């Protein structure tokens, strides 16, 4: 059991390294975008177009495909070999491309209605720009569909690093195009940059999957194939559930369109910052745990439950200190990242508030994301749908309650509260599925963690009181201040968790020491 957990942690760490590069570059693209376009009405229109294309991507390609394909592909690879798994991947690709093309065509034709739904508060000029951008943005879905399938194949082959860095290549291409072409094409440069980046992200993973022995070429689906039938049986319920999940950003954009100009841009900037810890830790862990859970012996409830419990606990172990730190220094982080060029003082403080509100939801996001992987591995689309539905309903309720007194900050907080609520629903449904409590957070673990986080919070607040953020100083001095806060918090958290002998440190050590042992047993796993 410890070997399985250590292997999962090792794969998660590999993904974190690659994801760190892509998320840092993602922040860089937002910094450059903010400096060139600020928080403007044109940028609001672009983000509406990008959101619509991105919703389709998350629903169809990266979301439902990963949930339905990876468990079946992993089991096929383990039980029937690479040739059978290759055939399954190629048939799935054909179906995915057909479905993706239909969605692209529908998106282009229905763009006026989609923008009207997404941003009912836009004036005619702003809405017209958003419609035009949406029509050009939708082909992005085709590129990421193939990238998502390749990522699922590579993860199942225990190859995590290349899929993790593929978005970094996309961001590099985006930045180059933006810096070279923005002065000539203005806001339309963003559309060109997104499409070119998506193509490069696809190409890298497609080539690497071929290098790993599974060349992804479309193959005529054989609908009597039991593995393909299982993928399709799971795909559509998961797609329906994930389409519900995309209601959350739609609600935020809809209500944000009635607020002051720049509100949608502010929420997007804050969301981009929160994507760094979310992608670096939460998504990396959840991507690593799904193949492991899928490999668990059928009916082995104890093994599955322990792997699930340890995955959630490890995610919280990593995310909780990040949450506390980000809430306490959100304003300072935004100042360092964005406060330059067209990004003015209002945008700075507004984005800082939104970021703090989003940060409160990181633990809930972590738990919900990992628990959903458990439900996917158990092939329970109905339960996964209920988890998503609980997130949507609670988010809508909180949005309606909080938008009037808190404005855009209320919309960010509502998302956090919705994820927190859905994490409890996911834990309950998964425990009921395996007919055994998950026992993720015991009283002892919770008390020790709470004590350490409390000491960490007090220390950071004292530091801020004695050494206020040097707002008037150079970027280097401000970055040094933030780095000192990070070192202080990390030192307290690291020493505290070591003194309290948290098991998570054993898993981390095992991630580095188990490789040599498993290699000697002939059970090594590729990480590149």
């Amino acid at each position: 059991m410890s070997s399985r957990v250590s292997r999962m942690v090792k794969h998660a760490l590999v993904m974190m390294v690659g994801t760190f590069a892509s998320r840092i570059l993602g922040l860089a693209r937002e910094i450059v975008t903010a400096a060139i376009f600020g928080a403007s009405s044109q940028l609001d229109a672009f983000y509406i177009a990008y959101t619509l294309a991105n919703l389709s991507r998350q629903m169809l390609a990266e979301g439902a495909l990963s949930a339905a394909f990876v468990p079946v592909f992993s089991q096929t690879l383990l039980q029937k070999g690479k040739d059978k798994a290759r055939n399954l991947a190629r048939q799935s690709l054909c179906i995915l491309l057909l479905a993706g093309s239909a969605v692209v065509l529908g998106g282009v034709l229905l763009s006026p209605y989609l923008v009207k739904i997404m941003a009912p508060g836009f004036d005619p000029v702003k809405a017209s720009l958003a419609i035009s951008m949406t029509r050009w943005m939708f082909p992005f879905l085709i590129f990421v569909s193939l990238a998502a399938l390749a990522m699922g194949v590579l993860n199942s082959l225990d190859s995590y690093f290349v899929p993790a860095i593929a978005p970094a290549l996309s961001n590099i291409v985006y930045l180059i195009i933006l810096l070279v072409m923005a002065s000539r094409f203005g806001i339309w440069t963003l559309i060109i940059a997104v499409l070119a980046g998506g193509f490069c992200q696809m190409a890298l993973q497609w080539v690497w999957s071929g290098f790993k022995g599974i060349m992804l070429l479309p193959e005529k689906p054989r609908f009597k194939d039991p593995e393909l039938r299982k993928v399709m049986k799971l795909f559509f319920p998961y797609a329906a559930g994930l389409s519900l999940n995309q209601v959350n950003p739609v609600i935020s954009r809809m209500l944000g369109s009635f607020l002051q100009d720049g509100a949608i841009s502010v929420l997007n900037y804050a969301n981009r910052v929160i994507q760094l810890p979310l992608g670096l830790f939460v998504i990396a862990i959840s991507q690593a745990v799904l193949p492991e859970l899928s490999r668990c012996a059928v009916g082995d409830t104890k093994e599955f439950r322990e792997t699930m419990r340890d995955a959630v606990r490890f995610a919280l172990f990593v995310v909780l200190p990040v949450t506390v730190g980000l809430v306490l220094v959100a304003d300072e982080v935004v100042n360092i990242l964005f406060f330059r060029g067209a990004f003015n003082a209002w945008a700075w403080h507004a984005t800082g508030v939104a970021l703090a509100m989003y940060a409160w939801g990181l633990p809930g996001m972590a738990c919900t994301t990992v628990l959903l992987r458990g439900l996917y591995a158990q092939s329970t689309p109905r339960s996964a749908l209920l988890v998503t539905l609980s997130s949507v309903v609670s988010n809508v309720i909180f949005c309606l309650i909080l938008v009037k007194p808190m404005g855009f900050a209320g919309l960010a907080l509502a998302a956090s509260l919705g994820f927190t609520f859905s994490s409890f629903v996911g834990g309950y449904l998964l425990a009921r599925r395996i007919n055994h409590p998950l026992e993720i957070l015991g009283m002892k673990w919770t008390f020790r963690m709470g004590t350490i986080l409390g000491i960490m919070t007090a220390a950071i607040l004292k530091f801020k009181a004695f050494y206020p953020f040097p707002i008037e100083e150079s970027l280097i001095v401000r970055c040094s201040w933030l780095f000192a806060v990070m070192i202080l918090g990390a030192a307290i958290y690291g020493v505290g968790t070591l003194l309290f002998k948290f098991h998570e440190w054993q898993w981390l050590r095992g991630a580095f020491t188990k490789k040599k042992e498993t290699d000697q047993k002939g059970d090594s796993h590729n990480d590149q």
Side-chain angles (χ1 to χ4, degrees):
M1 180 62 211
S2 60
S3 174
R4 181 181 295 278
V5 176
S6 295
R7 186 167 65 242
M8 179 201 73
V9 171
K10 181 181 69 176
H11 291 159
L13 291 174
V14 169
M15 285 202 69
M16 286 178 192
V17 172
T19 304
F20 180 74
S22 64
R23 297 294 174 167
I24 289 296
L25 287 166
L27 275 179
R29 65 184 265 182
E30 293 304 317
I31 291 169
V32 174
T33 302
I36 296 174
F37 299 107
S40 61
S41 59
Q42 280 192 328
L43 198 60
D44 282 352
F46 165 75
Y47 282 131
I48 288 296
Y50 183 75
T51 298
L52 285 167
N54 212 36
L55 294 182
S56 300
R57 180 199 74 177
Q58 293 172 348
M59 179 186 74
L60 179 63
E62 294 181 355
L65 174 67
S66 176
F69 176 76
V70 172
V72 180
F73 183 84
S74 297
Q75 292 166 6
T76 303
L77 185 65
L78 183 66
Q79 298 171 2
K80 299 185 179 181
K82 183 173 283 189
D83 288 340
K84 182 64 178 177
R86 183 188 299 110
N87 292 336
L88 174 62
R90 290 180 172 180
Q91 293 177 76
S92 300
L93 174 62
C94 184
I95 293 174
L96 183 64
L97 289 177
L98 291 173
S101 299
V103 173
V104 169
L105 179 61
V108 170
L109 296 175
L110 298 175
S111 290
Y113 306 100
L114 295 173
V115 170
K116 184 66 176 177
I117 294 171
M118 179 73 80
F122 276 8
D123 60 50
V125 174
K126 205 171 175 179
S128 178
L129 179 60
I131 291 168
S132 298
M133 287 183 163
T134 300
R135 285 174 169 155
W136 283 101
M137 188 76 77
F138 255 98
F140 176 65
L141 175 65
I142 299 297
F143 300 144
V144 294
S145 295
L146 181 52
L149 186 70
M151 179 183 70
V153 168
L154 291 170
N155 288 169
S156 298
L157 293 170
D158 286 342
S159 179
Y160 290 87
F161 185 68
V162 168
I165 64 169
L169 177 61
S170 173
N171 288 328
I172 290 172
V173 172
Y174 178 101
L175 283 167
I176 292 172
I177 290 176
L178 189 59
L179 291 171
V180 172
M181 302 174 65
S183 60
R184 181 178 179 184
F185 294 101
I187 195 70
W188 284 95
T189 309
L190 299 177
I191 303 293
I192 300 170
V194 169
L195 292 175
F199 176 82
C200 293
Q201 181 178 346
M202 171 201 74
L204 175 62
Q205 295 184 90
W206 182 79
V207 170
W208 193 250
S209 64
F211 177 78
K212 285 290 185 179
I214 298 185
M215 179 62 70
L216 291 173
L217 299 171
E219 184 176 301
K220 183 179 178 181
R222 297 185 294 276
F223 293 104
K224 293 184 178 181
D225 186 321
E227 283 77 21
L228 181 63
R229 290 171 66 90
K230 187 174 182 180
V231 170
M232 293 182 64
K233 181 180 178 181
L234 294 174
F235 179 85
F236 291 106
Y238 286 143
L242 288 163
S243 65
L244 273 178
N245 195 40
Q246 305 316 314
V247 171
N248 286 339
V250 171
I251 293 297
S252 295
R253 299 306 193 272
M254 287 175 63
L255 295 176
S257 71
F258 290 102
L259 302 175
Q260 66 265 50
D261 279 346
I264 294 176
S265 298
V266 160
L267 288 171
N268 183 79
Y269 288 133
N271 185 61
R272 287 299 302 181
V273 178
I274 210 68
Q275 290 302 314
L276 177 60
L278 183 64
L280 187 59
F281 306 122
V282 178
I283 303 302
I285 294 169
S286 64
Q287 288 294 106
V289 75
L290 181 55
E292 292 296 337
L293 290 171
S294 301
R295 294 186 190 110
C296 288
V298 177
D300 192 343
T301 301
K302 184 175 184 293
E303 183 182 26
F304 179 89
R305 178 176 61 85
E306 290 180 353
T307 303
M308 191 74 249
R309 178 200 64 201
D310 293 341
V312 175
R313 189 173 287 182
F314 183 73
L316 287 174
F317 178 80
V318 174
V319 163
L320 285 172
V322 177
T323 300
V324 171
L326 200 51
V327 168
L328 294 175
V329 296
D331 208 51
E332 292 83 355
V333 168
V334 173
N335 176 276
I336 291 171
L337 292 176
F338 298 120
F339 190 48
R340 61 185 58 83
F343 197 88
N344 57 27
W346 175 84
W348 162 27
H349 293 297
T351 304
V353 171
L355 176 58
M357 295 300 102
Y358 276 132
W360 284 114
L362 276 175
M365 295 176 195
C367 292
T368 299
T369 304
V370 177
L371 287 166
L372 277 172
R373 295 305 190 274
L375 291 170
Y376 296 158
Q378 287 284 317
S379 299
T380 54
R382 182 176 297 179
S383 295
L385 179 62
L386 288 175
V387 175
T388 303
L389 184 61
S390 70
S391 173
V392 172
V393 172
S394 58
N395 178 66
V396 171
I397 293 172
F398 287 127
C399 277
L400 295 175
I401 293 173
L402 298 174
V403 68
K404 187 173 182 179
M406 298 180 64
F408 58 82
L411 300 179
L413 181 58
S416 295
L417 294 173
F419 274 112
T420 302
F421 178 75
S422 66
S423 67
F424 287 100
V425 176
Y428 168 76
L429 291 175
L430 187 56
R432 192 174 69 173
R433 166 69 180 180
I434 64 175
N435 199 29
H436 198 289
L438 297 177
E439 300 175 352
I440 295 171
L441 301 179
M443 288 294 295
K444 184 178 179 181
W445 192 94
T446 304
F447 174 76
R448 293 184 300 172
M449 180 60 70
T451 301
I452 296 168
L453 294 177
I455 295 171
M456 176 181 160
T457 300
I460 293 176
L461 290 175
K462 281 291 185 182
F463 181 90
K464 291 180 66 177
F466 283 107
Y467 304 100
F469 182 65
I471 186 174
E472 301 295 336
E473 300 295 334
S474 67
L475 179 61
I476 294 177
V477 174
R478 286 177 285 151
C479 287
S480 299
W481 183 93
L482 183 61
F483 184 71
V485 172
M486 293 169 59
I487 292 297
L488 174 64
I492 293 172
Y493 186 76
V495 171
T497 50
L498 282 170
L499 289 176
F500 276 120
K501 297 181 180 180
F502 275 71
H503 290 296
E504 287 77 3
W505 286 110
Q506 297 178 17
W507 303 338
L508 284 167
R509 284 192 293 268
F512 294 100
T513 60
K514 289 290 181 181
K515 185 177 189 300
K516 185 175 180 180
E517 295 174 12
T518 53
D519 284 346
Q520 293 174 348
K521 295 176 183 179
D523 187 30
S524 63
H525 292 263
N526 295 324
D527 293 317
Q528 300 298 326

